[in-house]
């Protein structure tokens, strides 16, 4: 395979980000395609299983299989091997086609950093995004120190290198809650950079099995000349805390640009003191309703009362969300209050809407939660595999 026969995941991301029209031929099974695929503005994706190309090559009908897709075509499979062969078959049939190097596994390793254009007081803020899952993390740099909010384990080395390049010592790894969609990088950062691990105090009640500095409502996490102030924001999970830095609100999974946090993922691990006999509040439909009611209170009593100019920096973004002029995914709180119908519902209607519109749960969420609580251990390659797929931590807006 020559360089002209393949496109790297990073190159594909730049094309999609630049608004180019991209035709993706996905050779995986239909259920894999429906669950998780390359998407975005300008992407025309089609799923045609690999076996159909075997027969088409015999019949000389390869080009006919993709006649509805514009060229050039990017062929995709799980790891890039099968799609390499099919891309070559397409080229032999006169179709302009390239292979996505490393397939969906390579796509999952794309990680992009953008500097926030908004004012964050005495700090500089950088947003990290993982296009394959929509996960967002943040680095706050101030006074020669750096903190990472909601770090991903798969990219722990990247945070350390970036902090060094920015002339800062990485001193804190802060999780807003116990994540169910990705393996946290907080402990990996503690090992790599001697950073302090910070978790909301409620994580202890959920069965936290490793040493961490616990923070609660109103407490401040110092980063150089700046500080992150915690606001307890139960709903997505009982322990979730959003973090305020000057006019920026790191909203975790409480509030997104296109919806609100789902309230049903807390059932994934038992509480330490109570064992398996006692269910966390988030377990089952009744628990989801309780946390949905908590989320309504959080949004209306704690978040929406902040200044309308507050910049909401969420924990995830979706395919329908648009980046701002600085390339980051964020929005002013007042704009979200005006735009999201879910925020205008009364309490009862909000609860009903939230629990009746839950997306599929993130893949392997129970094992991910257990790992993030320190109750299970995963090798690096296992950790990468279990979090492949969409995050699915949001309930899309009511409209």
């Amino acid at each position: 395979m020559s360089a002209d026969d393949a496109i790297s995941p990073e190159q594909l991301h730049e094309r999609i980000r630049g608004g180019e029209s991209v035709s993706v031929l996905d050779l995986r099974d239909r259920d894999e395609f429906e669950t998780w695929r390359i998407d975005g503005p300008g992407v025309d994706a089609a799923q045609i299983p690999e076996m159909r190309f075997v027969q088409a090559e015999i019949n000389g009908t390869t080009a006919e299989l993709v006649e509805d897709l514009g060229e050039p075509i990017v062929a995709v499979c799980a790891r890039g091997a099968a799609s390499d062969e099919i891309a070559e078959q397409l080229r032999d049939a006169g179709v302009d086609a390239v292979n996505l190097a490393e397939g969906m596994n390579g796509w999952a390793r794309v990680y992009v950093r953008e500097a926030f254009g908004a004012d964050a007081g005495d700090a500089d803020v950088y947003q990290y995004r993982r296009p394959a899952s929509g996960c967002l993390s943040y680095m706050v740099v101030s006074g020669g120190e750096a903190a990472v909010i909601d770090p991903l384990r798969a990219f722990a080395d990247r945070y350390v290198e970036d902090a060094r390049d920015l002339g800062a010592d990485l001193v804190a790894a802060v999780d807003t809650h116990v994540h169910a969609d990705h393996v946290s990088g907080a402990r990996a950062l503690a090992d790599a950079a001697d950073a302090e691990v910070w978790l909301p105090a409620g994580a202890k009640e959920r069965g936290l099995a490793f040493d961490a500095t616990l923070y609660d409502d109103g407490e401040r996490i110092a980063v150089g000349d700046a500080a992150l102030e915690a606001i307890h924001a139960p709903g997505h999970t009982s322990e979730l805390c959003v973090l305020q830095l000057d006019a920026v609100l790191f909203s975790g999974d409480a509030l997104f640009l296109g919806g609100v946090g789902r309230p049903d993922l807390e059932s994934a691990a038992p509480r330490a003191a109570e064992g398996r006999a006692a269910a966390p509040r988030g377990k089952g439909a009744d628990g989801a309703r309780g946390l949905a009611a908590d989320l309504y209170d959080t949004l209306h009593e704690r978040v929406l009362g902040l200044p309308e100019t507050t910049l909401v920096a969420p924990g995830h973004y979706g395919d329908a969300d648009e980046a701002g002029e600085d390339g980051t995914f964020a929005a002013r709180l007042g704009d979200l209050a005006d735009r999201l119908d879910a925020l205008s519902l009364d309490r009862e209607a909000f609860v009903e809407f939230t629990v009746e519109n839950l997306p599929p749960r993130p893949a392997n969420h129970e094992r991910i939660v257990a790992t993030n609580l320190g109750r299970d251990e995963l090798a690096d390659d296992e950790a990468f595999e279990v979090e492949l797929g969409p995050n699915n931590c949001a309930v899309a807006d009511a409209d």
Side-chain angles (χ1 to χ4, degrees), residues 15-379:
R15 287 178 56 185
I16 295 173
R17 178 185 176 191
E20 296 183 37
S21 295
V22 177
S23 295
V24 174
L25 169 63
D26 199 312
L27 303 165
R28 298 173 300 152
D29 292 339
R30 170 59 63 173
D31 59 342
E32 294 174 305
F33 173 77
E34 293 293 346
T35 300
W36 179 47
R37 60 177 180 261
I38 296 172
D39 210 340
V43 175
D44 181 15
Q47 185 270 337
I48 304 176
E50 178 187 359
M51 289 305 299
R52 290 190 61 185
F53 285 90
V54 175
Q55 188 65 41
E57 188 172 29
I58 296 172
N59 297 333
T61 57
T62 295
E64 296 176 16
L65 283 180
V66 295
E67 59 186 2
D68 292 333
L69 278 175
E71 298 182 25
I73 291 172
V74 180
V76 179
C77 68
R79 291 178 170 80
S83 54
D84 184 28
E85 295 180 3
I86 300 304
E88 183 177 7
Q89 179 181 332
L90 287 167
R91 291 192 296 273
D92 289 343
V95 178
D96 186 0
V98 295
N99 177 45
L100 178 63
E102 301 180 50
M104 293 299 288
N105 275 19
W107 182 244
R109 295 190 185 280
V110 176
Y111 207 45
V112 181
R113 189 188 83 186
E114 300 282 1
F116 255 37
D119 181 22
D122 294 324
D124 293 321
V125 177
Y126 300 86
Q127 183 183 75
Y128 291 82
R129 69 174 179 273
R130 189 183 200 179
S133 66
C135 289
L136 296 173
S137 301
Y138 299 88
M139 181 177 289
V140 175
V141 180
S142 175
E145 294 186 342
V148 182
I149 300 171
D150 293 332
L152 278 64
R153 176 171 158 184
F155 303 99
D157 290 344
R158 170 77 181 274
Y159 304 125
V160 175
E161 292 174 5
D162 284 1
R164 185 183 301 117
D165 290 344
L166 292 168
D169 294 326
L170 211 165
V171 298
V174 187
D175 273 333
T176 56
H177 63 291
V178 179
H179 298 280
D181 67 302
H182 68 265
V183 178
S184 169
R187 285 187 289 166
L189 286 180
D191 292 339
D194 198 27
E196 188 171 5
V197 176
W198 293 78
L199 282 168
K204 184 175 182 179
E205 296 182 14
R206 292 193 60 190
L208 185 66
F210 62 89
D211 292 333
T213 302
L214 302 180
Y215 66 92
D216 211 338
D217 186 63
E219 294 189 35
R220 294 163 66 86
I221 301 171
V223 186
D225 299 323
L228 302 167
E229 182 172 352
I231 302 173
H232 186 214
H236 173 63
T237 62
S238 58
E239 81 284 354
L240 188 148
C241 286
V242 298
L243 299 167
Q244 189 170 11
L245 172 67
D246 199 67
V248 178
L249 182 73
F250 302 101
S251 62
D253 287 9
L255 179 61
F256 304 107
L257 304 190
V260 298
R262 63 185 301 164
D264 66 324
L265 295 180
E266 193 166 309
S267 62
R271 298 185 183 189
E274 300 165 326
R276 294 185 179 275
R281 182 170 184 178
K283 187 169 185 178
D286 292 340
R289 288 181 180 277
L291 281 172
D294 289 345
L295 180 59
Y296 178 89
D297 294 340
T298 285
L299 293 173
H300 287 270
E301 296 175 8
R302 316 220 72 188
V303 175
L304 293 176
L306 297 172
E308 292 185 352
T309 55
T310 300
L311 188 70
V312 176
H316 299 99
Y317 72 101
D319 293 327
D321 297 329
E322 295 184 4
E325 293 182 359
D326 61 0
T328 64
F329 289 87
R332 293 186 182 279
L333 181 60
D335 294 337
L336 292 181
D338 291 339
R339 186 172 77 232
L340 298 182
D341 289 347
L343 298 182
S344 65
L345 299 174
D346 62 32
R347 198 170 191 265
E348 182 178 353
F350 179 90
V351 171
E352 289 300 318
F353 161 72
T354 304
V355 299
E356 293 298 326
N357 290 278
L358 294 170
R361 288 187 173 190
N364 304 307
H365 67 281
E366 292 186 351
R367 194 168 187 195
I368 291 173
V369 168
T371 301
N372 288 338
L373 285 169
R375 300 175 65 83
D376 194 1
E377 294 295 333
L378 292 171

